[in-house]
Amino acid sequence: MHKITRTDAASSVVGLSDVHKSFGALKVLNGVSFEVNRGEVLVLIGRSGSGKSTALRCIDRFETIDSGEIVVCGHRVSDPKLDLRALRQDVGIVFQSYNLFPHLTIEENITLAPCSVKGISKAQAKEQARRVLAQVGLEDKLHQYPEQLSGGQQQRAAIARSLAMQPKVMLFDEVTSALDPELTGEVLKVIEALAADGMTMVMVTHEMGFAKGIANRVVFMHHGKVHETGPAAILTSPATPELAQFVGAGL
Amino acid sequence: MNLNLDFAAILERWPAFLDGAVLTLQLAFIATVLGTVIGVLGAIGRRSSHPVVARICGIYVEAIRNTPLLVQIFLVYFGLASLGLKFSAFTVAAAALTINVGAYTTEIIRAGFDAIPRGQIEAAEGLALSRAQIYWHVVMLPAIEKVYPSLTSQFVLLMLASSVTSQISAEELTAVANYIQSDTYRAFETYILVAIVYIILSLVMRAGFWLLGLVIFPRRRRLGTPL
């Protein structure tokens, strides 16, 4: 089912326009533009090295861009005077390698940022930790340490940790690439539930079947450019030979 | 060969040995606590993006690690004296040992910081934690955990090296021994006893670090893998 999405500028949560980025002599992003509206799920696909992860990381300013403009929840990300921490309170990001803090329990992992960044009380934060863990189906893991959890559970806990900051948009950077198919399934189910709740999301994934089911919009990146974009249907009937070859090879 | 050992004259001086051992432990304790603080700050300084700060911390580490402890002690001792500042031998000894061990600790803790995966810091940044909060909540404990055995060894070494401060008449264990052996003419027996006391002190320190590890690394305790 596709959600109804408005496309007026007011509902734009993430906007990239003509973004360029090089690592030394290597041009990674070569004029990338796309927009994500509130409640929308945008899926970035493409070959390794096509620039999709870099594009995603630019949204949260883990990479700085050379030219162009990025606006996220009203923050001008490309502005050198950007309040980085204000941006990152609005944006949640989940990585391929979970990156839970190993010395903290799952509860401590989740309450750390709400307590130290937002200044909410310990009791309130714990209450919230319980809620977000229930959301990802891990309420019984509150007092476990990350290493006691499976990869899939760790990734769900990492998602819960991000949710506890109540972000306006979530970024997922190949979050299932380190997981076997069964664990991948449990993580994707959590992401699906978030989408159904209306969370705005941008994700980089190689799970084409999943992308088809969840994407409001697909962006196919190729050589640092948006090569083809459209609804999830483009994955089944691509317009360009490059995307046809990519999904053909992927299925 | 006629080895004739007589500990009687030595053993009856046990209160003096005890005093010396206590003083040695006090020196070790002070230098360990302050050295850890210097080590953490020095490691942060060495990793600073500010080139002057990083350079100053680097010079400190290299200067200390490439000069003998005894020379450093004399530098502090005579340096303070020539500035007209009067301190007890104990204070000078504690200061010199702290400066010394701080440099080694800086290097050890820096290695711990460097061993924290980049992804940990990115995850913390993604959660909007500040730089100071990231150091304090995310980097510090796992970094120290990674190098805790090295730190323990370094501080035990420091306690043993504090014997050198007998040269400026700090009344620690070795100074007591020097004085007793010249009094009793039982040098070999004296140093056998002192060696045994140092071994005991080392074991006490290692046990102390093990217990401390149980407190500051609750995960290790919970998972049954204490350091």
Side-chain angles (χ1 to χ4, degrees):
Chain A
M1 284 308 283
H2 283 271
K3 283 186 293 292
I4 303 151
T5 52
R6 292 174 302 150
T7 49
D8 55 303
S11 69
S12 169
V13 178
V14 175
L16 281 75
S17 56
D18 198 27
V19 170
H20 290 258
K21 164 82 186 169
S22 301
F23 291 116
L26 184 69
K27 215 148 180 22
V28 188
L29 300 180
N30 201 358
V32 172
S33 306
F34 59 77
E35 198 140 332
V36 189
N37 295 311
R38 183 163 304 126
E40 223 179 15
V41 178
L42 183 136
V43 174
L44 285 164
I45 58 169
R47 290 204 192 97
S48 302
S50 61
K52 57 196 189 309
S53 269
T54 305
L56 186 88
R57 288 168 59 81
C58 286
I59 294 171
D60 211 6
R61 226 186 62 183
F62 278 111
E63 310 290 350
T64 50
I65 61 174
D66 301 336
S67 68
E69 186 161 73
I70 302 179
V71 179
V72 178
C73 305
H75 307 278
R76 283 194 57 235
V77 180
S78 31
D79 183 350
K81 291 198 294 283
L82 166 80
D83 182 349
L84 201 51
R85 295 182 62 203
L87 166 74
R88 286 173 177 171
Q89 286 191 50
D90 286 341
V91 181
I93 184 162
V94 183
F95 304 90
Q96 179 181 333
S97 49
Y98 339 132
N99 296 331
L100 292 171
F101 307 131
H103 60 300
L104 301 178
T105 63
I106 298 304
E107 182 180 59
E108 290 164 343
N109 261 279
I110 295 172
T111 57
L112 173 61
C115 286
S116 29
V117 177
K118 292 196 162 170
I120 72 171
S121 74
K122 261 254 143 61
Q124 230 181 323
K126 284 184 175 185
E127 183 51 47
Q128 195 189 27
R130 212 151 293 148
R131 206 169 54 239
V132 290
L133 274 179
Q135 224 176 319
V136 301
L138 290 176
E139 51 276 64
D140 55 327
K141 304 294 183 195
L142 212 53
H143 301 295
Q144 306 262 49
Y145 285 95
E147 68 191 86
Q148 297 174 287
L149 271 54
S150 72
Q153 290 170 335
Q154 287 191 49
Q155 193 57 291
R156 281 146 65 197
I159 293 171
R161 181 174 67 178
S162 263
L163 288 176
M165 286 297 279
Q166 299 172 311
K168 297 189 177 119
V169 54
M170 290 277 284
L171 311 178
F172 295 91
D173 190 4
E174 293 193 33
V175 293
T176 58
S177 298
L179 301 172
D180 69 35
E182 191 183 352
L183 299 180
T184 295
E186 67 184 48
V187 172
L188 295 184
K189 238 179 260 163
V190 166
I191 297 175
E192 266 166 8
L194 280 179
D197 276 356
M199 175 63 80
T200 310
M201 301 193 275
V202 182
M203 65 175 72
V204 171
T205 184
H206 290 300
E207 301 288 332
M208 289 305 135
F210 176 68
K212 263 180 218 164
I214 199 171
N216 297 113
R217 190 129 44 105
V218 173
V219 167
F220 171 61
M221 300 225 7
H222 188 63
H223 293 324
K225 286 188 169 157
V226 176
H227 196 77
E228 186 173 345
T229 180
I234 66 165
L235 293 172
T236 29
S237 46
T240 63
E242 287 79 8
L243 179 55
Q245 195 195 344
F246 179 73
V247 294
L251 291 175
Chain B
M1 210 175 76
N2 186 11
L3 186 62
N4 183 9
L5 294 177
D6 178 6
F7 283 95
I10 312 294
L11 288 173
E12 72 185 26
R13 310 287 282 267
W14 67 267
F17 280 108
L18 186 63
D19 287 349
V22 167
L23 210 111
T24 291
L25 274 184
Q26 284 174 341
L27 280 175
F29 182 77
I30 292 169
T32 296
V33 172
L34 298 180
T36 303
V37 174
I38 291 178
V40 169
L41 296 177
I44 293 172
R46 282 209 87 172
R47 289 161 50 88
S48 166
S49 51
H50 201 300
V52 177
V53 174
R55 178 58 68 85
I56 289 172
C57 294
I59 290 171
Y60 161 61
V61 168
E62 292 311 321
I64 295 298
R65 294 205 309 170
N66 293 295
T67 49
L69 174 59
L70 184 58
V71 172
Q72 294 161 15
I73 291 169
F74 283 148
L75 281 174
V76 175
Y77 186 65
F78 294 117
L80 289 174
S82 66
L83 290 172
L85 298 167
K86 287 206 124 188
F87 289 105
S88 69
F90 179 83
T91 308
V92 173
L97 290 172
T98 299
I99 292 167
N100 177 269
V101 81
Y104 289 93
T105 313
T106 294
E107 275 306 88
I108 293 172
I109 293 179
R110 185 179 66 89
F113 283 163
D114 287 349
I116 300 299
R118 178 80 204 122
Q120 289 281 306
I121 293 159
E122 282 195 347
E125 287 172 346
L127 290 165
L129 293 167
S130 70
R131 226 179 126 69
Q133 286 169 337
I134 292 171
Y135 259 119
W136 184 249
H137 294 292
V138 176
V139 173
M140 187 79 80
L141 207 59
I144 289 182
E145 183 181 325
K146 280 178 202 292
V147 297
Y148 197 67
S150 308
L151 281 177
T152 302
S153 296
Q154 189 62 50
F155 289 128
V156 170
L157 261 176
L158 161 91
M159 185 275 292
L160 299 175
S162 73
S163 67
V164 175
T165 64
S166 61
Q167 292 296 310
I168 55 165
S169 322
E171 300 278 309
E172 48 66 67
L173 187 56
T174 302
V176 169
N178 295 343
Y179 155 74
I180 289 178
Q181 66 91 9
S182 67
D183 225 28
T184 58
Y185 302 105
R186 288 285 172 191
F188 191 32
E189 292 88 335
T190 303
Y191 289 112
I192 288 174
L193 185 65
V194 161
I196 292 168
V197 175
Y198 272 116
I199 288 170
I200 293 168
L201 293 184
S202 296
L203 294 175
V204 165
M205 273 185 81
R206 285 186 188 279
F209 275 103
W210 184 79
L211 285 172
L212 183 67
L214 291 182
V215 176
I216 59 178
F217 307 122
R219 175 178 61 105
R220 292 267 175 181
R221 188 177 67 232
R222 275 263 308 278
L223 301 183
T225 53
L227 279 165

PDB file of all heavy atoms in Angstrom, chain B residues 50-73:
ATOM      1  N   HIS B  50      44.055  20.727  17.663  1.00  0.00           N
ATOM      2  CA  HIS B  50      44.818  21.957  17.823  1.00  0.00           C
ATOM      3  C   HIS B  50      46.302  21.597  17.796  1.00  0.00           C
ATOM      4  O   HIS B  50      46.799  20.945  18.718  1.00  0.00           O
ATOM      5  CB  HIS B  50      44.448  22.591  19.168  1.00  0.00           C
ATOM      6  CG  HIS B  50      44.752  24.054  19.234  1.00  0.00           C
ATOM      7  ND1 HIS B  50      46.029  24.528  19.082  1.00  0.00           N
ATOM      8  CD2 HIS B  50      43.964  25.127  19.426  1.00  0.00           C
ATOM      9  CE1 HIS B  50      46.008  25.849  19.173  1.00  0.00           C
ATOM     10  NE2 HIS B  50      44.761  26.234  19.373  1.00  0.00           N
ATOM     11  N   PRO B  51      47.054  21.995  16.750  1.00  0.00           N
ATOM     12  CA  PRO B  51      48.421  21.492  16.605  1.00  0.00           C
ATOM     13  C   PRO B  51      49.353  21.878  17.760  1.00  0.00           C
ATOM     14  O   PRO B  51      50.225  21.097  18.127  1.00  0.00           O
ATOM     15  CB  PRO B  51      48.891  22.098  15.279  1.00  0.00           C
ATOM     16  CG  PRO B  51      47.932  23.184  14.971  1.00  0.00           C
ATOM     17  CD  PRO B  51      46.647  22.854  15.641  1.00  0.00           C
ATOM     18  N   VAL B  52      49.160  23.067  18.323  1.00  0.00           N
ATOM     19  CA  VAL B  52      50.050  23.497  19.407  1.00  0.00           C
ATOM     20  C   VAL B  52      49.853  22.616  20.644  1.00  0.00           C
ATOM     21  O   VAL B  52      50.817  22.158  21.272  1.00  0.00           O
ATOM     22  CB  VAL B  52      49.811  24.993  19.750  1.00  0.00           C
ATOM     23  CG1 VAL B  52      50.699  25.408  20.922  1.00  0.00           C
ATOM     24  CG2 VAL B  52      50.077  25.868  18.540  1.00  0.00           C
ATOM     25  N   VAL B  53      48.581  22.358  20.978  1.00  0.00           N
ATOM     26  CA  VAL B  53      48.277  21.504  22.132  1.00  0.00           C
ATOM     27  C   VAL B  53      48.854  20.107  21.919  1.00  0.00           C
ATOM     28  O   VAL B  53      49.526  19.542  22.792  1.00  0.00           O
ATOM     29  CB  VAL B  53      46.748  21.427  22.356  1.00  0.00           C
ATOM     30  CG1 VAL B  53      46.415  20.431  23.461  1.00  0.00           C
ATOM     31  CG2 VAL B  53      46.188  22.798  22.692  1.00  0.00           C
ATOM     32  N   ALA B  54      48.618  19.560  20.730  1.00  0.00           N
ATOM     33  CA  ALA B  54      49.101  18.207  20.435  1.00  0.00           C
ATOM     34  C   ALA B  54      50.628  18.167  20.522  1.00  0.00           C
ATOM     35  O   ALA B  54      51.209  17.208  21.045  1.00  0.00           O
ATOM     36  CB  ALA B  54      48.627  17.778  19.048  1.00  0.00           C
ATOM     37  N   ARG B  55      51.282  19.220  20.025  1.00  0.00           N
ATOM     38  CA  ARG B  55      52.739  19.267  20.031  1.00  0.00           C
ATOM     39  C   ARG B  55      53.285  19.347  21.456  1.00  0.00           C
ATOM     40  O   ARG B  55      54.224  18.623  21.828  1.00  0.00           O
ATOM     41  CB  ARG B  55      53.224  20.468  19.177  1.00  0.00           C
ATOM     42  CG  ARG B  55      54.735  20.665  19.144  1.00  0.00           C
ATOM     43  CD  ARG B  55      55.485  19.450  18.629  1.00  0.00           C
ATOM     44  NE  ARG B  55      55.248  19.207  17.219  1.00  0.00           N
ATOM     45  CZ  ARG B  55      55.937  19.796  16.242  1.00  0.00           C
ATOM     46  NH1 ARG B  55      56.871  20.668  16.521  1.00  0.00           N
ATOM     47  NH2 ARG B  55      55.680  19.503  14.996  1.00  0.00           N
ATOM     48  N   ILE B  56      52.686  20.201  22.263  1.00  0.00           N
ATOM     49  CA  ILE B  56      53.156  20.345  23.654  1.00  0.00           C
ATOM     50  C   ILE B  56      53.047  19.013  24.387  1.00  0.00           C
ATOM     51  O   ILE B  56      53.981  18.575  25.073  1.00  0.00           O
ATOM     52  CB  ILE B  56      52.340  21.441  24.385  1.00  0.00           C
ATOM     53  CG1 ILE B  56      52.723  22.820  23.844  1.00  0.00           C
ATOM     54  CG2 ILE B  56      52.578  21.379  25.900  1.00  0.00           C
ATOM     55  CD1 ILE B  56      51.846  23.952  24.344  1.00  0.00           C
ATOM     56  N   CYS B  57      51.918  18.332  24.222  1.00  0.00           N
ATOM     57  CA  CYS B  57      51.740  17.040  24.887  1.00  0.00           C
ATOM     58  C   CYS B  57      52.752  16.026  24.361  1.00  0.00           C
ATOM     59  O   CYS B  57      53.288  15.209  25.125  1.00  0.00           O
ATOM     60  CB  CYS B  57      50.315  16.524  24.681  1.00  0.00           C
ATOM     61  SG  CYS B  57      49.088  17.553  25.493  1.00  0.00           S
ATOM     62  N   GLY B  58      53.036  16.087  23.065  1.00  0.00           N
ATOM     63  CA  GLY B  58      54.015  15.174  22.468  1.00  0.00           C
ATOM     64  C   GLY B  58      55.409  15.413  23.022  1.00  0.00           C
ATOM     65  O   GLY B  58      56.147  14.468  23.333  1.00  0.00           O
ATOM     66  N   ILE B  59      55.771  16.676  23.161  1.00  0.00           N
ATOM     67  CA  ILE B  59      57.099  17.017  23.694  1.00  0.00           C
ATOM     68  C   ILE B  59      57.234  16.520  25.130  1.00  0.00           C
ATOM     69  O   ILE B  59      58.254  15.943  25.526  1.00  0.00           O
ATOM     70  CB  ILE B  59      57.341  18.545  23.608  1.00  0.00           C
ATOM     71  CG1 ILE B  59      57.515  18.958  22.135  1.00  0.00           C
ATOM     72  CG2 ILE B  59      58.572  18.945  24.427  1.00  0.00           C
ATOM     73  CD1 ILE B  59      57.548  20.458  21.919  1.00  0.00           C
ATOM     74  N   TYR B  60      56.187  16.716  25.921  1.00  0.00           N
ATOM     75  CA  TYR B  60      56.190  16.242  27.315  1.00  0.00           C
ATOM     76  C   TYR B  60      56.459  14.734  27.358  1.00  0.00           C
ATOM     77  O   TYR B  60      57.356  14.256  28.070  1.00  0.00           O
ATOM     78  CB  TYR B  60      54.849  16.588  27.961  1.00  0.00           C
ATOM     79  CG  TYR B  60      54.502  15.812  29.215  1.00  0.00           C
ATOM     80  CD1 TYR B  60      55.307  15.890  30.357  1.00  0.00           C
ATOM     81  CD2 TYR B  60      53.365  15.011  29.262  1.00  0.00           C
ATOM     82  CE1 TYR B  60      54.983  15.168  31.504  1.00  0.00           C
ATOM     83  CE2 TYR B  60      53.038  14.289  30.402  1.00  0.00           C
ATOM     84  CZ  TYR B  60      53.847  14.375  31.524  1.00  0.00           C
ATOM     85  OH  TYR B  60      53.528  13.669  32.651  1.00  0.00           O
ATOM     86  N   VAL B  61      55.697  13.997  26.568  1.00  0.00           N
ATOM     87  CA  VAL B  61      55.833  12.537  26.577  1.00  0.00           C
ATOM     88  C   VAL B  61      57.244  12.121  26.166  1.00  0.00           C
ATOM     89  O   VAL B  61      57.894  11.309  26.832  1.00  0.00           O
ATOM     90  CB  VAL B  61      54.782  11.896  25.643  1.00  0.00           C
ATOM     91  CG1 VAL B  61      55.090  10.422  25.403  1.00  0.00           C
ATOM     92  CG2 VAL B  61      53.389  12.055  26.238  1.00  0.00           C
ATOM     93  N   GLU B  62      57.739  12.707  25.089  1.00  0.00           N
ATOM     94  CA  GLU B  62      59.049  12.287  24.591  1.00  0.00           C
ATOM     95  C   GLU B  62      60.164  12.695  25.555  1.00  0.00           C
ATOM     96  O   GLU B  62      61.126  11.954  25.763  1.00  0.00           O
ATOM     97  CB  GLU B  62      59.303  12.859  23.192  1.00  0.00           C
ATOM     98  CG  GLU B  62      58.401  12.266  22.121  1.00  0.00           C
ATOM     99  CD  GLU B  62      58.357  10.735  22.145  1.00  0.00           C
ATOM    100  OE1 GLU B  62      59.416  10.095  22.372  1.00  0.00           O
ATOM    101  OE2 GLU B  62      57.269  10.161  21.969  1.00  0.00           O
ATOM    102  N   ALA B  63      60.041  13.884  26.130  1.00  0.00           N
ATOM    103  CA  ALA B  63      61.074  14.342  27.067  1.00  0.00           C
ATOM    104  C   ALA B  63      61.168  13.394  28.261  1.00  0.00           C
ATOM    105  O   ALA B  63      62.262  13.030  28.701  1.00  0.00           O
ATOM    106  CB  ALA B  63      60.756  15.761  27.534  1.00  0.00           C
ATOM    107  N   ILE B  64      60.048  12.981  28.781  1.00  0.00           N
ATOM    108  CA  ILE B  64      60.052  12.111  29.960  1.00  0.00           C
ATOM    109  C   ILE B  64      60.501  10.699  29.606  1.00  0.00           C
ATOM    110  O   ILE B  64      61.290  10.081  30.324  1.00  0.00           O
ATOM    111  CB  ILE B  64      58.641  12.073  30.600  1.00  0.00           C
ATOM    112  CG1 ILE B  64      58.250  13.449  31.137  1.00  0.00           C
ATOM    113  CG2 ILE B  64      58.580  11.019  31.706  1.00  0.00           C
ATOM    114  CD1 ILE B  64      59.133  13.985  32.232  1.00  0.00           C
ATOM    115  N   ARG B  65      60.026  10.220  28.457  1.00  0.00           N
ATOM    116  CA  ARG B  65      60.333   8.825  28.135  1.00  0.00           C
ATOM    117  C   ARG B  65      61.771   8.639  27.680  1.00  0.00           C
ATOM    118  O   ARG B  65      62.246   7.516  27.554  1.00  0.00           O
ATOM    119  CB  ARG B  65      59.372   8.306  27.053  1.00  0.00           C
ATOM    120  CG  ARG B  65      57.954   8.232  27.567  1.00  0.00           C
ATOM    121  CD  ARG B  65      57.129   7.223  26.840  1.00  0.00           C
ATOM    122  NE  ARG B  65      57.206   7.399  25.387  1.00  0.00           N
ATOM    123  CZ  ARG B  65      56.713   6.521  24.538  1.00  0.00           C
ATOM    124  NH1 ARG B  65      56.136   5.429  24.970  1.00  0.00           N
ATOM    125  NH2 ARG B  65      56.790   6.746  23.243  1.00  0.00           N
ATOM    126  N   ASN B  66      62.468   9.725  27.409  1.00  0.00           N
ATOM    127  CA  ASN B  66      63.849   9.614  26.932  1.00  0.00           C
ATOM    128  C   ASN B  66      64.871  10.144  27.921  1.00  0.00           C
ATOM    129  O   ASN B  66      66.007  10.431  27.545  1.00  0.00           O
ATOM    130  CB  ASN B  66      63.984  10.303  25.568  1.00  0.00           C
ATOM    131  CG  ASN B  66      63.193   9.553  24.493  1.00  0.00           C
ATOM    132  OD1 ASN B  66      63.519   8.416  24.168  1.00  0.00           O
ATOM    133  ND2 ASN B  66      62.136  10.163  24.003  1.00  0.00           N
ATOM    134  N   THR B  67      64.466  10.305  29.169  1.00  0.00           N
ATOM    135  CA  THR B  67      65.436  10.700  30.216  1.00  0.00           C
ATOM    136  C   THR B  67      65.242   9.769  31.411  1.00  0.00           C
ATOM    137  O   THR B  67      64.148   9.261  31.647  1.00  0.00           O
ATOM    138  CB  THR B  67      65.212  12.160  30.665  1.00  0.00           C
ATOM    139  OG1 THR B  67      63.821  12.351  30.957  1.00  0.00           O
ATOM    140  CG2 THR B  67      65.631  13.156  29.605  1.00  0.00           C
ATOM    141  N   PRO B  68      66.337   9.551  32.176  1.00  0.00           N
ATOM    142  CA  PRO B  68      66.216   8.645  33.323  1.00  0.00           C
ATOM    143  C   PRO B  68      65.381   9.254  34.443  1.00  0.00           C
ATOM    144  O   PRO B  68      65.408  10.482  34.648  1.00  0.00           O
ATOM    145  CB  PRO B  68      67.668   8.464  33.797  1.00  0.00           C
ATOM    146  CG  PRO B  68      68.520   9.094  32.769  1.00  0.00           C
ATOM    147  CD  PRO B  68      67.694  10.064  32.008  1.00  0.00           C
ATOM    148  N   LEU B  69      64.693   8.409  35.150  1.00  0.00           N
ATOM    149  CA  LEU B  69      63.862   8.869  36.266  1.00  0.00           C
ATOM    150  C   LEU B  69      64.696   9.623  37.305  1.00  0.00           C
ATOM    151  O   LEU B  69      64.280  10.667  37.811  1.00  0.00           O
ATOM    152  CB  LEU B  69      63.166   7.664  36.914  1.00  0.00           C
ATOM    153  CG  LEU B  69      62.370   7.951  38.197  1.00  0.00           C
ATOM    154  CD1 LEU B  69      61.274   8.982  37.950  1.00  0.00           C
ATOM    155  CD2 LEU B  69      61.762   6.659  38.745  1.00  0.00           C
ATOM    156  N   LEU B  70      65.887   9.097  37.591  1.00  0.00           N
ATOM    157  CA  LEU B  70      66.719   9.737  38.617  1.00  0.00           C
ATOM    158  C   LEU B  70      67.054  11.178  38.232  1.00  0.00           C
ATOM    159  O   LEU B  70      67.016  12.087  39.058  1.00  0.00           O
ATOM    160  CB  LEU B  70      68.000   8.919  38.840  1.00  0.00           C
ATOM    161  CG  LEU B  70      68.918   9.429  39.957  1.00  0.00           C
ATOM    162  CD1 LEU B  70      68.184   9.491  41.297  1.00  0.00           C
ATOM    163  CD2 LEU B  70      70.165   8.537  40.087  1.00  0.00           C
ATOM    164  N   VAL B  71      67.349  11.369  36.955  1.00  0.00           N
ATOM    165  CA  VAL B  71      67.662  12.726  36.479  1.00  0.00           C
ATOM    166  C   VAL B  71      66.431  13.626  36.612  1.00  0.00           C
ATOM    167  O   VAL B  71      66.535  14.795  37.022  1.00  0.00           O
ATOM    168  CB  VAL B  71      68.171  12.683  35.026  1.00  0.00           C
ATOM    169  CG1 VAL B  71      68.320  14.084  34.452  1.00  0.00           C
ATOM    170  CG2 VAL B  71      69.498  11.924  34.954  1.00  0.00           C
ATOM    171  N   GLN B  72      65.266  13.067  36.294  1.00  0.00           N
ATOM    172  CA  GLN B  72      64.034  13.856  36.436  1.00  0.00           C
ATOM    173  C   GLN B  72      63.813  14.256  37.899  1.00  0.00           C
ATOM    174  O   GLN B  72      63.417  15.387  38.192  1.00  0.00           O
ATOM    175  CB  GLN B  72      62.824  13.052  35.936  1.00  0.00           C
ATOM    176  CG  GLN B  72      62.853  12.782  34.437  1.00  0.00           C
ATOM    177  CD  GLN B  72      61.925  11.638  34.057  1.00  0.00           C
ATOM    178  OE1 GLN B  72      61.075  11.217  34.827  1.00  0.00           O
ATOM    179  NE2 GLN B  72      62.120  11.120  32.850  1.00  0.00           N
ATOM    180  N   ILE B  73      64.087  13.320  38.792  1.00  0.00           N
ATOM    181  CA  ILE B  73      63.911  13.615  40.222  1.00  0.00           C
ATOM    182  C   ILE B  73      64.851  14.745  40.648  1.00  0.00           C
ATOM    183  O   ILE B  73      64.435  15.695  41.314  1.00  0.00           O
ATOM    184  CB  ILE B  73      64.163  12.344  41.061  1.00  0.00           C
ATOM    185  CG1 ILE B  73      63.036  11.326  40.807  1.00  0.00           C
ATOM    186  CG2 ILE B  73      64.248  12.682  42.549  1.00  0.00           C
ATOM    187  CD1 ILE B  73      63.318   9.958  41.376  1.00  0.00           C
TER     188      ILE B  73
END
